[in-house]
């Protein structure tokens, strides 16, 4: 079963990782959801597919009142990212979903309408959760043509969507990367194939290396923390991507 683990806590400002599910059926790619809470307001990043909605919902309900989840941040349009949207709307019709403006008219095929979907401009924008101010950071072509990451300067957390993802062996369910060199071998094939643009990747590495990041939190696999964050950015910078 999934469970929510606090990965940052400062007063009423918290981040939870609903990450690594040892019980997931093997036909589903494992996904990480993250919950940002500030006071009585919460935002959920990449809530996942409809298949895992009950697991995510019950893990989340252990730590926050689910009615406090008023916003969803979708890094991009994939089914493992946002196909649960209709179920979240059934629970709370007032929920709002931030996604690239490119996907505004595609995502309603999963559910939601003009009111639900808030299209983000290419350059990104500021998001507010309670008193916390977060930044949607552009990451276009990594891997989607309209793609965003979410940075919290107070928590020093970058939610990086599919960037940093690793397809780990089934018995490896650790929350954090322990041995970078061993870990990155499970990330390489994914990045080479799924990341489409070397130019976009270089630009992202340059921008993101200027941010203070203590935890880089991908949508699949373990979280990079401390020195492993820069290790990952440097590794990604060197990697040739966009090859089948
Ligand atoms: Fe994806
Ligand atoms: Fe993904």
């Amino acid at each position: 079963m999934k469970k929510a683990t606090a990965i940052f806590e400062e007063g009423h400002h918290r981040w939870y990782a609903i990450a690594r599910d040892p019980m997931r059926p093997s036909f589903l790619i494992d996904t990480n959801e993250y919950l940002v809470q500030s006071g009585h307001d919460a935002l959920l990043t990449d809530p996942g597919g409809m298949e895992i909605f009950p697991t995510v919902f019950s893990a989340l309900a252990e730590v926050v009142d689910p009615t406090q989840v008023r916003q969803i941040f979708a890094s991009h349009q994939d089914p493992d990212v946002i196909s649960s949207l209709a179920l979240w709307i059934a629970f709370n019709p007032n929920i709002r979903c931030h996604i690239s403006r490119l996907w505004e008219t595609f995502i309603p095929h999963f559910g939601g309408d003009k009111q639900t979907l808030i299209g983000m401009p290419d350059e990104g924008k500021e998001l507010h959760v309670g008193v916390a101010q977060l930044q949607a950071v552009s990451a276009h072509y990594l891997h989607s043509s309209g793609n965003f990451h979410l940075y919290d300067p107070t928590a020093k957390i970058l939610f990086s969507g599919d960037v940093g993802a690793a397809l780990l062996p089934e018995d490896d369910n650790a929350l954090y990367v322990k041995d970078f060199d061993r870990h990155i071998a499970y990330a390489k094939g994914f990045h080479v194939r799924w990341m489409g643009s070397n130019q976009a990747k270089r630009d992202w590495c340059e921008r993101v290396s200027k941010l203070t990041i203590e935890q880089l939190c991908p949508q699949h696999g373990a979280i990079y923390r401390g020195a492993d964050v820069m290790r990952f950015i440097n590794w990604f910078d060197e990697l040739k991507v966009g090859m089948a």
Side-chain angles (χ1 to χ4, degrees):
M1 287 300 281
K2 272 181 173 293
K3 75 176 186 13
T5 308
I7 59 169
F8 171 81
E9 220 170 333
E10 199 178 86
H12 297 293
H13 184 181
R14 296 193 184 111
W15 274 73
Y16 294 96
I18 304 171
R20 317 307 319 278
D21 183 4
M23 305 291 280
R24 77 188 181 283
S26 59
F27 59 85
L28 289 177
I29 186 167
D30 195 20
T31 57
N32 301 328
E33 294 73 38
Y34 300 92
L35 184 72
V36 191
Q37 189 191 23
S38 171
H40 297 296
D41 201 11
L43 171 150
L44 182 62
T45 70
D46 287 7
M50 46 191 302
E51 187 74 21
I52 60 157
F53 174 82
T55 335
V56 172
F57 191 88
S58 57
L60 180 149
E62 293 284 320
V63 291
V64 300
D65 170 357
T67 61
Q68 292 181 1
V69 181
R70 296 185 185 92
Q71 300 175 79
I72 284 172
F73 176 87
S75 60
H76 60 295
Q77 83 290 3
D78 271 347
D80 64 323
V81 169
I82 190 63
S83 70
S84 60
L85 184 60
L87 299 170
W88 282 101
I89 293 165
F91 170 69
N92 175 8
N94 294 319
I95 212 155
R96 295 291 177 262
C97 173
H98 304 277
I99 193 160
S100 158
R101 63 176 180 84
L102 263 63
W103 300 116
E104 258 176 299
T105 55
F106 290 67
I107 291 302
H109 284 273
F110 286 145
D113 54 22
K114 261 189 161 28
Q115 272 68 49
T116 316
L117 275 298
I118 302 177
M120 292 188 276
D122 278 349
E123 65 275 20
K125 68 170 191 179
E126 226 171 56
L127 300 183
H128 300 266
V129 185
V131 293
Q133 290 185 356
L134 311 182
Q135 184 65 40
V137 175
S138 65
H140 309 307
Y141 301 104
L142 302 173
H143 63 91
S144 167
S145 42
N147 205 115
F148 284 99
H149 297 161
L150 188 62
Y151 180 59
D152 182 337
T154 308
K156 301 181 179 68
I157 287 176
L158 179 70
F159 165 66
S160 59
D162 281 335
V163 172
L167 306 177
L168 296 166
E170 286 213 354
D171 60 345
D172 182 344
N173 288 295
L175 186 58
Y176 287 100
V177 172
K178 282 194 201 114
D179 175 344
F180 182 83
D181 293 335
R182 186 181 172 274
H183 177 88
I184 212 69
Y186 297 108
K188 190 175 175 188
F190 182 88
H191 287 77
V192 168
R193 180 66 198 251
W194 285 93
M195 301 300 154
S197 161
N198 284 297
Q199 195 186 328
K201 180 207 65 167
R202 276 253 57 224
D203 178 69
W204 180 89
C205 290
E206 205 166 302
R207 282 182 290 117
V208 161
S209 60
K210 289 180 190 139
L211 304 174
T212 308
I213 304 169
E214 276 170 13
Q215 301 184 70
L216 186 134
C217 299
Q219 195 221 353
H220 311 280
I223 298 171
Y224 303 79
R225 67 175 159 188
D228 283 340
V229 173
M230 257 333 272
R231 243 173 233 136
F232 172 77
I233 296 169
N234 290 333
W235 170 86
F236 192 35
D237 201 21
E238 296 280 307
L239 189 73
K240 275 214 165 63
V241 301
M243 284 182 293

